[in-house]
Amino acid sequence: MKLTFLVCLLVAGAYGYNRETFKGRLNPRGTQTVENLMRDMIRRVNDLIKQNVKVNNMQLGPIRVDSFRVTNLDTHNINVIMDSNRLGVKVNNARVHLKAHLSAEVGVWPFVVRVGGQFDTYGDNINAKIDSGVGVRSGRLYSNGMGCNLHVGNPRVDLHLPIINHLANMVVRGIMPHVTGGVCEGIKKYGVGMVNGVFQTIPTNINVFNAFRLEFPIHNFRSWSRHLVAGVGMEVRPINNKGVSYSDIRLIALPEAEDGHMACATVSDFVLNTASRTFIPVGRTFKVDVGSILSLFFKTIFTKTMFVQGTIVQSPKILAEPTEIILNVKASGRLLDHEGKVIPNTETKPIELRVSAPNNQTPMFKTVTVEVRGPITLKVTVDLAGIIDYIVKNIDTLYKTKGNIGLVKRASGGDMTRVLNEMFFSKYFAGFSLKLSARHGSLVACVSGQPNSNAKNIVYHRLRQSFYG
């Protein structure tokens, strides 16, 4: 019985693992970049708090707050927690200084005495750690418990009156452990619900432009030693949410992608093939105006309107392999006249088109093999590198007008990375690099890049809006 149960667990685990069709990975270098960004953003938030958190002339019961402001707030020393499937943050040696002018009116018959003064509160050597255990349930992340630790090493107040000040500090230091303990108890009690509320708002499917649905339930989550990996069962479905047929679509376990870059993503060719069956299903027809094309070359022979109508017999199937990318599609065809009627005796049996191209070649797409099987048999090798070169050259020409380095070599992986950087990423990232590769059944993309001032200012602008409205 125990053996049977163990086998069932292994099978279930293997099934869940193999259902991963997209895997995102944040590597230690990426984690370090995230921490640096958090420190910078927290420093800016601290500045905004000091500038904007001010209170004047507020009545709190018998106490009147003539003024209140945050004089000092330092929480820049922050680290990300990623260990044993726990996520959180840790702050070390934080400091705070709050300054308030308080007053109160005390009735001493027959007079009213106003008592007031400056009230300074300090907190030094503040250490805090807040984290949550994270698991996967029903395709979503969930929190299975909050952890909290908060310690104020040196709390003190300054009432600028020695006798009262001494007594007040005795009270503050005595109650501070109870205050920090109460804060942590509140986080542990209510934090799980808050975190799960956030996780529940993260959708597991998106209707994209009312054209298709992108499904991505989470199947696996791991965090350890400053690594973070999430495996998602991504697939593309029709908008009616009816899944496509999986027959003859392979589903292979995704490889790990760790090569020193900051972040990597691995996509199974299963995702591409569900997309092809969603957009180009079996039975879909298409029509090509061949009469106009042929009349360009043989004007005196082909003078009538004529179309080739095809019907998809096998949806396009894409296979990713370590050394090549393969595309297969099968369709039957017939000729139509200008009225859209089938020309007799032009029905053809299904014709299979197979296109393969090496993915590790320089220049790219130098030798693309096109093979036709069926009533017509044909196999040719074509050179598409010139087209890629032409596209890269035009982008590079625009880039060179800005005084940058032009095209150095023909369309290679490095050139494509640089072109993507020129077109999209250089505005927001410094030192951007992209590495594309293929494995058996999957495509892998790894990126590195430090967010520059433009990217940081976009985030900072949003932060300022939250303060200024």
Side-chain angles (χ1 to χ4, degrees), residues 50-118:
K50 286 187 286 187
Q51 294 169 16
N52 298 280
V53 179
K54 297 177 181 178
V55 176
N56 294 294
N57 302 319
M58 175 184 286
Q59 194 73 33
L60 295 175
I63 305 297
R64 180 178 181 82
V65 181
D66 298 319
S67 67
F68 170 84
R69 63 190 179 95
V70 180
T71 302
N72 185 33
L73 182 61
D74 180 5
T75 57
H76 72 281
N77 191 0
I78 189 168
N79 296 283
V80 176
I81 299 172
M82 287 185 187
D83 198 20
S84 302
N85 273 30
R86 300 192 70 84
L87 294 181
V89 292
K90 181 168 61 176
V91 180
N92 295 323
N93 297 321
R95 295 181 297 127
V96 65
H97 175 197
L98 310 176
K99 180 178 288 188
H101 284 272
L102 308 178
S103 63
E105 292 183 347
V106 181
V108 181
W109 190 88
F111 306 103
V112 176
V113 179
R114 185 178 186 275
V115 180
Q118 182 172 309

Side-chain angles (χ1 to χ4, degrees), residues 357-376:
N359 56 31
N360 55 359
Q361 194 176 43
T362 301
M364 300 174 69
F365 303 112
K366 174 68 175 176
T367 55
V368 178
T369 302
V370 179
E371 189 174 356
V372 178
R373 300 170 182 172
I376 303 174

Side-chain angles (χ1 to χ4, degrees), residues 252-444:
I252 302 172
L254 293 177
E256 294 288 348
E258 164 93 49
D259 68 346
H261 280 72
M262 293 179 180
C264 294
T266 309
V267 182
S268 169
D269 56 21
F270 174 89
V271 178
L272 305 178
N273 289 319
T274 58
S276 73
R277 295 193 180 190
T278 295
F279 296 117
I280 313 176
V282 172
R284 172 69 58 85
T285 60
F286 58 91
K287 188 166 61 173
V288 179
D289 182 359
V290 294
S292 299
I293 297 173
L294 292 173
S295 66
L296 293 174
F297 301 96
F298 309 98
K299 294 182 179 180
T300 58
I301 300 176
F302 294 97
T303 58
K304 295 183 179 180
T305 302
M306 186 168 52
F307 299 92
V308 169
Q309 183 189 58
T311 301
I312 298 296
V313 176
Q314 174 187 296
S315 297
K317 184 166 65 174
I318 301 170
L319 302 176
E321 298 295 346
T323 58
E324 66 177 346
I325 303 294
I326 303 169
L327 170 66
N328 279 82
V329 63
K330 187 182 292 186
S332 61
R334 62 205 60 83
L335 289 178
L336 307 179
D337 60 20
H338 66 284
E339 295 180 350
K341 296 179 180 179
V342 178
I343 299 175
N345 302 318
T346 60
E347 291 272 359
T348 64
K349 294 180 179 180
I351 298 175
E352 179 183 356
L353 175 66
R354 184 181 189 274
V355 181
S356 63
N359 56 31
N360 55 359
Q361 194 176 43
T362 301
M364 300 174 69
F365 303 112
K366 174 68 175 176
T367 55
V368 178
T369 302
V370 179
E371 189 174 356
V372 178
R373 300 170 182 172
I376 303 174
T377 301
L378 176 69
K379 185 174 182 180
V380 296
T381 299
V382 295
D383 182 358
L384 300 182
I387 298 175
I388 305 300
D389 278 346
Y390 179 76
I391 296 172
V392 173
K393 184 176 182 299
N394 278 304
I395 296 172
D396 241 41
T397 300
L398 294 174
Y399 191 61
K400 280 191 294 185
T401 59
K402 301 177 183 179
N404 296 294
I405 299 173
L407 186 65
V408 177
K409 55 184 177 181
R410 299 185 65 189
S412 65
D415 288 320
M416 297 306 293
T417 299
R418 184 166 48 77
V419 165
L420 289 172
N421 193 25
E422 292 170 5
M423 294 174 65
F424 305 108
F425 300 108
S426 61
K427 187 175 180 181
Y428 304 107
F429 293 93
F432 172 81
S433 66
L434 168 68
K435 179 183 177 183
L436 300 174
S437 61
R439 311 279 179 87
H440 180 52
S442 60
L443 301 172
V444 182

